[in-house]
Amino acid sequence: QVQLVESGGGLVQAGGSLRLSCAASGNIFSIGTMGWYRQAPGKQRELVAGIDSSTNYADFVKGRFTISRDNAKNTVYLQMNSLKPEDTAVYYCNAFVVTRGKGSSAYWGQGTQVTVSS
């Protein structure tokens, strides 16, 4: 079994910053691509940023958000600067995990709420 646990969400004013963390634990042999998605009320879940050997970002966060990872800690981070009210959403961590003896699959965290006030 693999668990992803996010932290760092909260309420912030427009222009402020937050840092999200997502730690993976459990039956992990290796982790491939890790990423952050978000889902606002009434909208579909969308990719925010991903990281493996390189990084990629959605156009709406380029220049404001930075994704990074610490492989020794099986943790991925999302530094969010210059936040806007439209960034308000539940943010989900995703990781492609190769387990020991149980195959590989994509796993999701439980989500963390980010609310940006105007």
Side-chain angles (χ1 to χ4, degrees), residues 19-68:
R19 188 191 193 212
L20 306 183
S21 299
C22 172
S25 63
N27 180 20
I28 297 171
F29 175 74
S30 65
I31 302 178
T33 301
M34 302 184 82
W36 289 95
Y37 290 71
R38 70 186 188 186
Q39 187 167 18
K43 295 188 177 181
Q44 290 189 330
R45 191 172 298 189
E46 59 186 359
L47 175 67
V48 175
I51 183 169
D52 41 40
S53 57
S54 62
T55 58
N56 64 284
Y57 296 93
D59 286 344
F60 52 76
V61 303
K62 284 182 179 177
R64 299 188 299 123
F65 291 9
T66 302
I67 189 171
S68 61

Side-chain angles (χ1 to χ4, degrees), residues 51-90:
I51 183 169
D52 41 40
S53 57
S54 62
T55 58
N56 64 284
Y57 296 93
D59 286 344
F60 52 76
V61 303
K62 284 182 179 177
R64 299 188 299 123
F65 291 9
T66 302
I67 189 171
S68 61
R69 65 191 286 175
D70 184 335
N71 291 329
K73 296 181 179 180
N74 290 333
T75 299
V76 63
Y77 306 96
L78 186 68
Q79 178 66 44
M80 305 185 294
N81 299 329
S82 302
L83 282 160
K84 305 174 181 179
E86 51 263 44
D87 294 319
T88 295
V90 178

